[in-house]
Amino acid sequence: MHPLDALLADPALIDDPYPTYRRLREEAPVFWSEHMNGWVVTSYDGVLRTFSDPQHFRNGGRFEPVFDALPAEVHAEFAPMRRHFMHGIIGADPPDHTRMRALIQKAFTPRALDAMRAPVQVIVDQLLDDCAGRDEFDVVRDLANPLPVLVIAQMMGVPLEMGPQFKRWSDEVMRFQSSGRAALDEMRISHRALFEFRAALEDLFAQRRAEPRDDLITALVQAEEQGDRLSQEEMLATCVTLLVAGHETTTNLIANGLLALLRNPEQLAALRANPSLTATATAIEEMLRYDTSLQRNRRIVGEDVEIHGQHLRKGQFVMQVIGAANHDPAVFREPETFDIARNPNPHLGFGRGIHFCLGAPLARIEAPAALLSLLERFPHVQLAREQQDWRREMGALRSMRTLYVTKIPVF
Ligand code: HEM
């Protein structure tokens, strides 16, 4: 095995991916990986190119290599899941993508997002109230994990009591979506979760058609532009994406961001000294850059193309290593330093171009609310454990199993 491939296959990549990213960037910024059966792009300009050039780097069929790699005898079993991932916003290219994005954007307006500020703060306060009586708590379990699911469930109009169920389905689907190559038993878990998820959504669509409400599902059901509606398949794939894309990513932004602050006390002190809107917003962007939630993303080569002297052929799989691009010294001075005042900070944590994260404004509301409230309520918060347990099963997501902190509460 090529030494760089051995590094990519090494489970240690999950605990600390940055040394491997650095070697790849320096030695082979566009690397053909036998292990991934695709190109691994790690330089900032390379990853930016793959995001900004949808003609050469397509989203359509981006999960096909995972299905193709399955043994032939199970292809029929996974055909429905394969069909699901052919539809919806993240699996589409223009013109379908343009139409879907315009329709979804109508339901996902800045006004709708702004209206979420107060409810987000209420949820954060309730979650922190529950932590107030304890000397030690797990930020992942008690705050970072429940917050995004409660917020998106409320926004979409998913009944509150279904929240935990949606969270479980969403995590199980994400295990497939974020993996480069999934094991058969993992795929079966994701497949079952996906179809339970879809059935629950179909019930909700029917309810909202009969009885419209002021929520995102109603808006999507009603979304119409020039008489062009979302098909039922597109609606299902898109709602699954909205629910899945916003969960773990936001959880990790909050948890990884807090970890970075607690490991860099001078940065924490600087944020405490100036928690203004602008300073906090700048700090959040640095958290997205420094230890980005979604480390790797995927494209398919749309037409033969050359980057960094490598010839990429139509149909090949491309792994965009966002975490490596965000540490490229060609763009970021002292990239291994966590600097909450870094500006400019053109990180690629939310992607770039036509697929730029639709939920970025929501994540930019949730993360500051969670982090600032936690720091304000618990001014002496500290890490309870030095070592963190990074979840191997989450593939491209940089995700801690737990983040225990100790505190002296102030009331
Ligand atoms: C910190 C949190 C988040 C991170 C790091 C993140 C990251 C990303 C990235 C990198 C992309 C680009 C994917 C691509 O180009 O293939 C993306 C797209 C997307 N994200 Fe997010 N995301 C976050 C939160 C959210 C939230 C809260 C939602 C929804 C509630 C959301 C919904 C979406 C959707 C629908 C797309 C697809 C847009 C398109 O294809 O046009 N994301 N996200």
Side-chain angles (χ1 to χ4, degrees):
M1 194 187 259
H2 190 288
L4 291 175
D5 246 340
L7 286 175
L8 281 168
D10 187 344
L13 182 73
I14 304 294
D15 295 330
D16 182 8
Y18 299 105
T20 299
Y21 291 167
R22 183 184 180 150
R23 271 197 64 183
L24 279 160
R25 237 182 7 243
E26 288 174 356
E27 293 174 30
V30 178
F31 170 66
W32 174 260
S33 163
E34 292 295 334
H35 172 65
M36 301 305 311
N37 192 26
W39 293 98
V40 177
V41 183
T42 46
S43 68
Y44 183 90
D45 62 342
V47 175
L48 181 60
R49 170 89 192 273
T50 60
F51 273 126
S52 324
D53 178 355
Q55 188 188 337
H56 289 101
F57 300 96
R58 303 172 64 85
N59 273 32
R62 65 195 220 150
F63 295 106
E64 291 294 284
V66 185
F67 292 107
D68 286 343
L70 291 172
E73 62 273 19
V74 297
H75 279 191
E77 178 186 343
F78 289 103
M81 186 178 184
R82 190 171 194 148
R83 260 196 310 280
H84 171 93
F85 281 100
M86 284 164 136
H87 296 89
I89 187 164
I90 53 162
D93 296 302
D96 278 345
H97 173 262
T98 321
R99 172 178 55 86
M100 268 186 257
R101 182 145 176 143
L103 288 165
I104 297 158
Q105 195 93 59
K106 276 190 160 180
F108 227 64
T109 57
R111 220 181 96 242
L113 290 166
D114 214 43
M116 289 310 293
R117 277 183 198 280
V120 166
Q121 191 60 54
V122 170
I123 297 171
V124 167
D125 290 342
Q126 282 168 353
L127 292 170
L128 290 176
D129 283 347
D130 293 342
C131 304
R134 285 173 275 151
D135 289 341
E136 184 175 304
F137 64 96
D138 175 5
V139 174
V140 172
R141 188 197 53 206
D142 298 330
L143 177 65
N145 226 330
L147 175 64
V149 68
L150 291 170
V151 171
I152 191 74
Q154 182 163 338
M155 209 173 150
M156 294 191 78
V158 172
L160 209 59
E161 65 280 6
M162 287 180 79
Q165 181 63 72
F166 271 69
K167 168 79 179 148
R168 189 175 65 74
W169 287 328
S170 149
D171 284 353
E172 288 173 358
V173 173
M174 194 56 158
R175 281 159 77 147
F176 159 76
Q177 228 175 282
S178 69
S179 68
R181 16 163 68 208
L184 211 50
D185 51 346
E186 292 278 332
M187 293 270 295
R188 289 200 167 106
I189 294 174
S190 299
H191 190 274
R192 199 182 50 238
L194 176 65
F195 282 87
E196 288 173 10
F197 205 163
R198 286 172 52 114
L201 282 169
E202 280 176 304
D203 285 348
L204 282 174
F205 294 164
Q207 285 170 26
R208 293 302 183 275
R209 278 199 190 97
E211 259 181 72
R213 290 202 199 155
D214 185 16
D215 60 34
L216 194 60
I217 290 188
T218 306
L220 284 172
V221 168
Q222 293 175 340
E224 194 170 10
E225 198 179 61
Q226 295 159 0
D228 195 8
R229 286 177 183 277
L230 288 171
S231 71
Q232 177 84 354
E233 249 329 296
E234 289 170 347
M235 283 270 296
L236 281 166
T238 296
C239 281
V240 169
T241 294
L242 284 175
L243 284 153
V244 172
H247 280 176
E248 273 291 329
T249 46
T250 313
T251 297
N252 299 338
L253 168 58
I254 295 167
N256 302 359
L258 182 66
L259 178 68
L261 283 172
L262 296 176
R263 283 184 170 167
N264 293 274
E266 74 301 335
Q267 298 297 310
L268 176 59
L271 184 61
R272 282 190 193 284
N274 179 15
S276 68
L277 267 183
T278 322
T280 309
T282 308
I284 297 291
E285 299 310 303
E286 177 65 348
M287 293 170 196
L288 279 157
R289 181 200 73 82
Y290 180 72
D291 209 6
T292 195
S293 321
L294 184 64
Q295 292 274 318
R296 298 179 285 280
N297 195 51
R298 46 177 67 232
R299 287 290 185 270
I300 298 292
V301 179
E303 287 171 22
D304 291 4
V305 63
E306 189 186 319
I307 349 180
H308 285 299
Q310 300 289 350
H311 298 279
L312 284 61
R313 301 267 171 251
K314 184 174 175 175
Q316 286 177 325
F317 165 61
V318 177
M319 183 189 274
Q320 309 160 290
V321 189
I322 301 173
N326 283 347
H327 282 239
D328 189 337
V331 176
F332 302 99
R333 199 166 47 85
E334 296 184 32
E336 309 310 328
T337 302
F338 178 60
D339 173 8
I340 61 160
R342 189 182 290 276
N343 191 12
N345 188 347
H347 70 79
L348 300 175
F350 286 129
R352 201 54 86 78
I354 61 168
H355 291 277
F356 181 80
C357 178
L358 259 177
L362 189 58
R364 285 172 171 147
I365 292 172
E366 291 180 45
L371 289 169
L372 285 187
S373 303
L374 184 142
L375 295 176
E376 199 179 308
R377 292 275 294 266
F378 311 125
H380 302 288
V381 73
Q382 287 177 7
L383 282 178
R385 322 250 193 289
E386 266 319 303
Q387 291 298 323
Q388 308 308 331
D389 180 9
W390 296 96
R391 294 166 71 193
R392 301 202 164 168
E393 71 278 15
M394 294 315 283
L397 284 158
R398 184 137 171 85
S399 175
M400 281 177 279
R401 203 170 303 284
T402 57
L403 180 63
Y404 283 100
V405 294
T406 57
K407 60 163 180 55
I408 303 169
V410 165
F411 297 103

